[in-house]
């Protein structure tokens, strides 16, 4: 064969790459027959490290493409997912888990349930110079109580739309009321004794961090009035009482409600994950005649809760930035205050618009179903919060 004939024939055919697992011809980085990738772990470490950073950067780019529409375009991600355009966005479950964890850390960091003062006063947020035990009149007690509750009300507004965000604050509010009532009752007894010429009574030694909840119409006590559910086996009832006694000892020794709040937050993500499919089931029932699959409703639930977690994180971020601004910077404080308020107000409006765009029903029917779903979900979420508190208490 001449040189001209060799040139006309072209280069020799390259050897066909075949899958090392099934032997099928390879047409890409993965075998189309068995799915095995070409690259394994038995190669240079630099190559593996390069793939790792490539994966991280790819995830980051998908996060950036996902966060924007999630925040400002109600229902967009769900409709994109239903249309089959999925690879460019973070998957719904991964998005929900990531943003939920960020939101939980933000909320937990914003709740300050501090230790008790040496005299028994409750320190929540900024430490107060006055305490209930230093108050000499019921009016002083009421004033201190009102100031402490006002601080908690302000913090409560910042996390009002957070699932379980107000639980720790509500615990602190209840403790403040109990302490104020105890001090007022003692001061009134002192005034009554003085008026009648009787000896002034000694302050009652009130056991701090006492766990009180009704069992058979009376407060729980591990011996005189223990937990005894007839539908539970005896060993289970005894175990519940032991756990409650242990929780009581932990709270008493810590001089704080913080262990209970921390334990509740530890189980809250798992609790909300259990609530998620139940909310999707509510959507399935509400839109039964839409003939949508249950998994479609679950995707909507994941995206809606991901948005809530993102919005809550932003609210906490704005609140944190406001705390860093000096008092004379009124303009920026106002800007951040407006941003915080508008973000919180955007949550219910966003969810309504999302429901309207995804399910494409008229406004009257959408508003009716939105209201019913909101009530049902509020009840479900309240039950989940109670379960989280109980589980946290039993796992101290």
């Amino acid at each position: 064969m001449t040189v001209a004939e060799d040139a006309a024939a072209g280069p020799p055919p390259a050897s066909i790459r075949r899958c090392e697992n099934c032997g099928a011809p390879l047409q890409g980085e993965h075998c189309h027959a068995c799915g095995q990738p070409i690259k394994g772990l038995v190669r240079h470490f630099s190559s593996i490290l390069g793939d790792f950073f490539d994966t991280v950067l790819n995830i980051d780019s998908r996060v950036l493409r996902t966060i924007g529409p999630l925040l400002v375009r109600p229902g967009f991600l769900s409709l994109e997912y239903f249309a089959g355009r999925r690879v460019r966005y973070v998957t719904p479950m991964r998005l929900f888990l990531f943003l939920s964890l960020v939101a939980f850390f933000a909320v937990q960091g914003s709740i300050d349930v501090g230790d008790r003062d040496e005299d028994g006063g409750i320190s929540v947020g900024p430490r107060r110079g006055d305490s209930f035990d230093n108050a000499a009149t019921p009016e002083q007690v009421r004033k201190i109580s009102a100031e402490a509750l006002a601080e908690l009300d302000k913090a409560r507004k910042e996390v009002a739309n957070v699932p379980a965000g107000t639980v720790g604050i509500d615990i602190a509010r209840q403790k403040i009321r109990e302490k104020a009532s105890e001090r007022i009752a003692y001061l009134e007894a002192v005034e009554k004794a003085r008026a009648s010429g009787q000896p002034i009574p000694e302050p009652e030694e009130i056991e701090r961090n006492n766990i009180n909840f009704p069992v058979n119409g009376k407060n729980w006590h591990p011996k005189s009035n223990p937990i005894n559910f007839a539908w539970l086996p005896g060993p289970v009832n005894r175990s519940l009482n032991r756990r409650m006694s242990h929780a009581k000892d932990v709270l008493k020794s810590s001089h704080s409600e913080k262990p209970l709040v921390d334990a509740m937050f530890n189980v809250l993500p798992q609790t909300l994950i259990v609530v998620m499919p139940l909310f999707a089931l509510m959507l399935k029932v509400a839109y039964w005649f839409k003939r949508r699959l249950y998994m479609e409703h679950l995707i909507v639930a994941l995206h809606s809760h991901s948005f809530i977690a993102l919005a809550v994180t932003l609210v906490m971020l704005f609140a944190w930035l406001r705390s860093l601004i000096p008092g004379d910077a009124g303009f920026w404080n106002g800007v951040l205050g407006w941003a915080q308020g508008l973000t919180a107000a955007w949550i219910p409006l966003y969810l309504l618009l999302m429901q309207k765009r995804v399910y494409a029903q008229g406004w009257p029917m959408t508003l009716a179903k939105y209201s019913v779903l909101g009530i049902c979900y509020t009840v479900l979420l309240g039950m989940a919060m109670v379960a989280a508190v109980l589980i946290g208490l039993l796992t101290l």
Side-chain angles (χ1 to χ4, degrees):
M1 183 177 292
T2 64
V3 176
E5 291 174 342
D6 289 342
S15 59
I16 300 175
R17 295 188 306 169
R18 293 186 177 274
C19 176
E20 296 178 351
N21 181 54
C22 67
L26 291 173
Q27 300 177 3
E29 297 299 318
H30 291 75
C31 176
H32 69 278
C34 67
Q36 177 173 281
I38 295 177
K39 295 181 179 179
L41 294 178
V42 184
R43 51 194 169 103
H44 291 292
F45 181 74
S46 59
S47 176
I48 296 176
L49 195 62
D51 288 347
F52 170 77
F53 282 110
D54 180 68
T55 301
V56 171
L57 293 175
N58 184 40
I59 291 176
D60 286 348
S61 64
R62 285 188 289 132
V63 167
L64 294 177
R65 287 196 298 266
T66 304
I67 293 298
L70 177 67
L71 183 62
V72 300
R73 301 183 67 179
F76 174 80
L77 291 178
S78 297
L79 293 175
E80 286 284 280
Y81 196 93
F82 298 154
R85 295 182 286 271
R86 299 184 292 268
V87 71
R88 68 187 71 173
Y89 307 110
V90 179
T91 58
M93 178 57 73
R94 181 177 296 179
L95 182 67
F96 167 71
L97 293 176
F98 172 73
L99 292 177
S100 295
L101 289 177
V102 172
F104 279 123
F105 281 123
V107 173
Q108 191 172 9
S110 68
I111 297 177
D112 182 13
V113 182
D115 295 338
R116 292 179 180 271
D117 299 338
E118 294 180 356
D119 57 7
I122 300 173
S123 174
V124 181
R127 186 179 181 90
R128 303 188 312 275
D130 296 330
S131 67
F132 294 126
D133 290 349
N134 290 334
T137 64
E139 289 71 21
Q140 292 179 359
V141 176
R142 295 187 181 96
K143 180 181 178 181
I144 296 172
S145 176
E147 292 174 352
L149 292 175
E151 293 178 5
L152 292 175
D153 288 338
K154 181 180 179 181
R156 199 178 197 282
K157 291 179 180 179
E158 297 177 353
V159 296
N161 294 302
V162 185
T166 61
V167 175
I169 296 176
D170 290 339
I171 293 174
R173 287 174 59 87
Q174 182 61 28
K175 289 294 183 180
I176 288 176
R177 291 194 184 97
E178 291 176 0
K179 177 62 181 175
S181 298
E182 293 165 3
R183 184 62 180 173
I184 289 174
Y186 170 72
L187 293 176
E188 290 177 347
V190 170
E191 292 179 357
K192 184 177 180 180
R194 287 174 177 170
S196 60
Q198 297 178 356
I200 297 176
E202 294 293 331
E204 295 183 359
E205 291 296 331
I206 301 170
E207 189 175 10
R208 306 301 181 191
N209 289 312
N210 193 22
I211 301 176
N212 289 320
F213 62 93
V215 175
N216 299 324
K218 300 179 180 179
N219 284 338
W220 169 83
H221 190 275
K223 294 183 179 180
S224 61
N225 190 36
I227 297 174
N228 187 20
F229 296 113
W231 46 276
L232 286 178
V236 176
N237 282 318
R238 289 192 291 271
S239 176
L240 289 175
N241 282 286
R242 284 196 301 270
R243 289 178 178 273
M244 292 299 296
S245 297
H246 175 70
K248 178 180 178 180
D249 294 337
V250 170
L251 293 176
K252 182 179 179 180
S253 61
S254 67
H255 303 288
S256 171
E257 290 78 25
K258 193 174 186 299
L260 176 59
V261 176
D262 291 341
M264 184 269 296
F265 270 100
N266 288 336
V267 300
L268 194 56
Q270 299 91 313
T271 305
L272 293 181
I273 289 176
V274 174
V275 170
M276 183 71 61
L278 297 179
F279 178 67
L281 183 61
M282 291 180 183
L283 290 173
K284 174 70 174 178
V285 174
Y287 291 95
W288 183 267
F289 295 104
K290 282 289 183 178
R291 305 289 184 182
R292 289 182 178 268
L293 297 174
Y294 171 78
M295 291 305 298
E296 294 182 77
H297 301 292
L298 185 60
I299 296 300
V300 175
L302 288 169
H303 281 148
S304 61
H305 283 73
S306 298
F307 162 74
I308 293 175
L310 177 59
V312 165
T313 303
L314 291 177
V315 169
M316 296 296 101
L317 176 62
F318 293 142
W320 176 70
L321 292 175
R322 290 183 68 186
S323 67
L324 299 179
I325 295 177
D328 55 352
F331 172 76
W332 291 110
N333 186 63
V335 170
L336 290 173
W338 272 100
Q340 186 177 355
L342 291 175
T343 303
W346 176 232
I347 294 177
L349 180 59
Y350 179 102
L351 297 176
L352 175 62
L353 293 175
M354 180 178 183
Q355 187 173 325
K356 175 69 171 64
R357 292 175 180 176
V358 170
Y359 295 104
Q361 282 193 328
W363 277 111
M365 188 62 69
T366 299
L367 288 170
K369 292 183 178 181
Y370 179 79
S371 301
V372 173
L373 286 171
I375 294 173
C376 294
Y377 184 66
T378 300
V379 174
L380 178 64
L381 192 61
M383 296 172 62
M385 297 305 102
V386 172
V389 172
L390 290 178
I391 294 173
L393 191 62
L394 294 175
T395 54
L396 281 176

